[in-house]
């Protein structure tokens, strides 16, 4: 089958499609014929070599952690899903490989009828990340939350899921994305110098939590929140120096266990919540761009701009 991989660190051009052996569903897993899969911003860091001293990479590195498709193999012990079902979900941390013709999923849920394949293919990572961080921040009804970098792949999902919890959401983005953020339910403002004053004007009584999806502004975000414990980042590697928690990738829970290792049933609660919200018309997955699988390098190039509005996906 075809799979996207890279065999050396470098620019987007090192990403290519290779012919590899098909994976198969082991115990507790399912395999899907992939219709669409997401591009992970974190994997562009791996590919560039930026994290080579932090996260060792074994070559060739197969990319992709989230996919949507039609089930064509069901592993031992799996119930509630069968061949022919349409699902979306996440791979194991150690395996990845979702950007391919076939992918083995460790956590999954039924594909909402309201979502296109492109939306479903790029949904799972953002959904699980947003759910995990909002849970850690204990965001609920009546709270006010600042989402820094609200127009990106995770930010757009976090805004909607926080609104669904009954929270008031302030989201930062460039002015050209402000109407878009309003359509998701957030009160928009710009990022950069003077952020604390702008947030104070929108939330005179302060904010209860800050979800940082962009990085590079932790001192300001801590000042806005009033305490480092009320800030969680998924993008700033200087978090520990500021006393801020950096949440792990959507492939692991906060204890560091790979998704699927302890999940029973395999659909982690964020995926189930997303299905319910999608069916109610309260959660959509904005797709910034969809590329053919063979144009994965171009998708990585767009991802590296960090200016894509929503999710970048590959389609089969």
């Amino acid at each position: 089958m075809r799979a996207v991989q890279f065999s050396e660190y470098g620019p987007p051009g090192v990403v290519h499609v290779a012919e590899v052996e098909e994976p198969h569903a082991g115990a507790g897993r399912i395999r899907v014929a992939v219709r669409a899969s997401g591009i992970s911003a974190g994997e562009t860091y791996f590919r560039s070599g930026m994290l080579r001293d932090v996260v060792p990479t074994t070559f060739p590195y197969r990319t992709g952690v989230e996919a949507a498709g039609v089930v064509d193999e069901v592993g031992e012990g799996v119930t509630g899903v069968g061949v022919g079902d349409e699902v979306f979900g996440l791979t194991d941390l150690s395996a990845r490989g979702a950007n391919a013709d076939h992918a083995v999923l460790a956590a999954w849920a039924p594909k909402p009828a309201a979502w296109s394949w492109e939306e479903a293919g790029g949904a799972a990572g953002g959904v699980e990340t947003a759910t995990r961080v909002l849970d850690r921040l204990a965001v609920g009804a009546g709270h006010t939350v600042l989402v820094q970098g609200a127009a990106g792949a995770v930010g757009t999902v976090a805004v909607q899921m926080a609104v669904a919890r009954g929270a008031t959401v302030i989201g930062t983005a460039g002015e050209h994305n402000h109407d878009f953020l309003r359509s998701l339910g957030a009160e928009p403002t710009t990022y950069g110098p003077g952020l604390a004053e702008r947030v104070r004007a929108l939330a005179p009584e302060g904010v209860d939590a800050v979800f940082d999806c962009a990085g590079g502004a932790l001192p300001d975000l801590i000042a806005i929140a009033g305490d480092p414990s009320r800030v969680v980042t998924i993008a700033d590697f200087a978090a520990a120096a500021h006393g801020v928690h950096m949440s792990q990738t959507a492939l692991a829970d906060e204890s560091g266990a790979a998704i699927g290792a302890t999940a029973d049933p395999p659909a982690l609660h964020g995926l189930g919540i997303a299905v319910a919200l999608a069916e109610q018309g309260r959660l959509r997955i904005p797709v910034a761009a969809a590329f053919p699988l063979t144009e994965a390098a171009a998708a990585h190039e767009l991802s590296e701009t960090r200016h894509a509005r929503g999710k970048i996906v590959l389609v089969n």
Side-chain angles (χ1 to χ4, degrees), residues 43-89:
E43 286 188 314
T44 67
Y45 295 134
F46 297 154
R47 188 217 69 238
S48 70
M50 183 202 298
L51 300 179
R52 71 178 73 192
D53 295 328
V54 180
V55 182
T57 299
T58 300
F59 297 124
Y61 181 100
R62 295 266 307 279
T63 67
V65 298
E66 59 194 346
V70 179
V71 178
D72 64 2
E73 285 186 5
V74 177
E76 182 183 353
V78 173
T79 59
V81 64
V83 172
D85 289 351
E86 298 180 349
V87 301
F88 73 108

Side-chain angles (χ1 to χ4, degrees), residues 1-5 17 20 23 30-40 43 61-69 87-107 120-125 251 293 296 300 311-316:
M1 70 167 191
R2 300 174 303 163
V4 177
Q5 63 183 39
V17 173
V20 303
I30 63 172
R31 190 181 81 165
V32 297
V34 177
R35 296 293 183 84
S37 57
I39 292 292
S40 165
E43 286 188 314
Y61 181 100
R62 295 266 307 279
T63 67
V65 298
E66 59 194 346
V87 301
F88 73 108
L90 295 157
T91 67
D92 271 312
L93 175 63
S94 59
R96 299 181 180 264
N99 301 145
D101 287 326
H102 295 275
V104 173
L105 302 183
L251 298 173
L293 190 71
H300 271 242
K311 189 71 182 185
I312 301 168
V313 299
L314 299 177
V315 293
N316 294 37

Side-chain angles (χ1 to χ4, degrees), residues 193-284:
L195 177 61
E197 290 74 17
R198 293 191 297 277
V199 171
R200 191 176 303 114
L202 293 171
E205 296 183 6
V207 303
D208 299 287
V210 176
F211 186 165
D212 175 32
C213 302
L218 286 181
D220 286 342
L221 300 182
I222 293 167
I224 290 167
D227 191 295
S229 67
R230 292 161 62 186
V231 180
V232 172
T233 184
I234 60 170
D236 200 317
F237 294 99
H242 295 277
V244 168
H245 177 72
M246 184 174 186
S247 193
Q248 300 177 43
T249 70
L251 298 173
D253 65 21
E254 290 300 283
S255 71
I259 267 181
T262 58
D264 184 20
L268 299 189
H269 78 286
L271 301 184
I273 292 168
V275 171
L277 291 176
E279 291 174 345
Q280 297 164 16
R282 301 174 68 193
L283 179 62
R284 54 194 172 108

Side-chain angles (χ1 to χ4, degrees), residues 102-129:
H102 295 275
V104 173
L105 302 183
W108 60 86
K111 172 188 169 294
W115 286 354
S116 67
W117 281 113
E118 289 83 1
E119 290 175 289
V127 164
E128 281 301 330
T129 300

